[in-house]
Amino acid sequence: METLLSLNVFNAFPLAELEVGKHFYWQLGNLKLHGQVFLTSWFVIGLLVLVTFLASRNVQRVPSGLQNLMEYGLEFIRDLAKNQIGEKEYRPWVPFVGTLFLFIFVSNWSGALVPWKLFKLPEGELGAPTADINTTVALALLTSLAYFYAGFSRKGLGYFGNYVQPVPFMLPFKIIEDFTKPLSLSFRLFGNILADELVVGVLVLLVPLFVPLPVMALGLFTSAIQALIFATLAAAYIGEAMEDHHGEGHEEH
């Protein structure tokens, strides 16, 4: 009975249902899906698939146009992964790091370049997928799974030895660190993109002609930087999970 009473008390204060603004949801049975985030995410994914198809449908020995752009992007992502993960182990992680970078980059720019406000929804409004905390947390959790997998794949259960290095009392601090990594990634990206959209939106309402343009240009630059930071940190975490393996490999030689 005491347990039931305590549950009733918590139900009287539905803190988990606190929301800022209105959102558009899809109801699937008892499951509520964030419809506006799905719509904009699918738009970004569709755009990336379309550009990739157009760039690779007629591959030339001497690249030009979209093919040249895609090859430059691949080379950039490959160098990023190589610098952060290491020359021996970076290749399997290029698709993951590249997907993170391209999805976040296009998502961030879509918030500034796509006129989402023209598309009306029953509730809420469309915007950059990365301006929603659900998207950034999901990306951060994927990054966490990636560096845990990287560590286990290289060291097996010996990966847990990192938690007591260099001294055993570091265990709680290492566990806290593993929780704060995804939190810092998600909140950094979410906060910067949301703040940029809010600033531009307010300036457009106050001075709708030329003043918002420099702010929008700056927003495009910072959006690209945020995508680079997220992908770089994700690759660095993966490299860190395999760091001892590198050391062992060098000692053997």
Side-chain angles (χ1 to χ4, degrees), residues 226-247:
Q226 289 302 317
L228 177 61
I229 290 173
F230 196 104
T232 301
L233 288 176
Y237 294 155
I238 294 169
E240 183 182 345
M242 299 186 291
E243 187 174 5
D244 292 339
H245 176 76
H246 296 328

Side-chain angles (χ1 to χ4, degrees), residues 5-18:
L5 288 174
S6 63
L7 290 175
N8 288 333
V9 170
F10 280 111
N11 288 334
F13 301 96
L15 298 179
E17 297 181 3
L18 179 63

Side-chain angles (χ1 to χ4, degrees), residues 9 25 28 30 53 72 82 99 130 191 204 224 236 240:
V9 170
Y25 291 104
L28 296 178
N30 295 327
F53 171 76
Y72 174 79
K82 183 190 297 184
T99 300
T130 44
V204 168
E240 183 182 345

Side-chain angles (χ1 to χ4, degrees), residues 172-240:
F173 300 103
K174 292 293 184 70
I175 295 175
I176 293 173
E177 182 183 9
D178 278 341
F179 280 100
T180 56
K181 280 179 180 178
L183 284 177
S184 63
L185 280 174
S186 58
F187 282 110
R188 181 189 296 111
L189 179 60
F190 163 70
N192 280 279
I193 303 306
L194 180 62
D196 179 64
E197 287 197 353
L198 290 175
V199 169
V200 172
V202 170
L203 286 177
V204 168
L205 289 175
L206 296 177
V207 278
L209 292 178
F210 300 107
V211 176
L213 293 179
V215 179
M216 292 176 66
L218 179 62
L220 292 176
F221 175 75
T222 57
S223 296
I225 294 298
Q226 289 302 317
L228 177 61
I229 290 173
F230 196 104
T232 301
L233 288 176
Y237 294 155
I238 294 169
E240 183 182 345

Side-chain angles (χ1 to χ4, degrees), residues 32-248:
K32 291 178 70 175
L33 301 179
H34 209 317
Q36 60 200 70
V37 175
F38 272 94
L39 289 173
T40 53
S41 297
W42 289 342
F43 170 81
V44 171
I45 294 170
L47 183 61
L48 287 171
V49 170
L50 177 62
V51 172
T52 303
F53 171 76
L54 293 176
S56 59
R57 64 175 179 171
N58 186 22
V59 178
Q60 302 294 325
R61 185 177 296 273
V62 180
S64 61
L66 276 179
Q67 182 187 342
N68 191 36
L69 178 64
M70 292 297 290
E71 290 190 9
Y72 174 79
L74 177 60
E75 183 179 351
F76 173 79
I77 293 167
R78 186 187 294 124
D79 289 341
L80 188 154
K82 183 190 297 184
N83 292 334
Q84 298 300 323
I85 300 175
E87 189 170 356
K88 292 184 178 180
E89 289 86 6
Y90 82 94
R91 292 183 183 276
W93 294 102
V94 170
F96 177 75
V97 175
T99 300
L100 282 179
F101 175 78
L102 291 175
F103 178 79
I104 295 172
F105 179 82
V106 177
S107 295
N108 293 352
W109 274 40
S110 72
L113 299 179
V114 178
W116 294 115
K117 302 296 186 292
L118 298 179
F119 303 95
K120 301 300 181 182
L121 297 175
E123 286 186 318
E125 58 184 21
L126 298 174
T130 44
D132 190 283
I133 190 66
N134 298 286
T135 304
T136 59
V137 168
L139 293 173
L141 290 177
L142 286 175
T143 302
S144 296
L145 291 176
Y147 69 71
F148 279 126
Y149 171 78
F152 284 127
S153 64
R154 291 297 179 183
K155 307 173 189 177
L157 294 178
Y159 175 74
F160 289 110
N162 292 337
Y163 287 86
V164 291
Q165 297 293 334
V167 287
F169 72 80
M170 291 297 295
L171 176 63
F173 300 103
K174 292 293 184 70
I175 295 175
I176 293 173
E177 182 183 9
D178 278 341
F179 280 100
T180 56
K181 280 179 180 178
L183 284 177
S184 63
L185 280 174
S186 58
F187 282 110
R188 181 189 296 111
L189 179 60
F190 163 70
N192 280 279
I193 303 306
L194 180 62
D196 179 64
E197 287 197 353
L198 290 175
V199 169
V200 172
V202 170
L203 286 177
V204 168
L205 289 175
L206 296 177
V207 278
L209 292 178
F210 300 107
V211 176
L213 293 179
V215 179
M216 292 176 66
L218 179 62
L220 292 176
F221 175 75
T222 57
S223 296
I225 294 298
Q226 289 302 317
L228 177 61
I229 290 173
F230 196 104
T232 301
L233 288 176
Y237 294 155
I238 294 169
E240 183 182 345
M242 299 186 291
E243 187 174 5
D244 292 339
H245 176 76
H246 296 328
E248 292 168 4

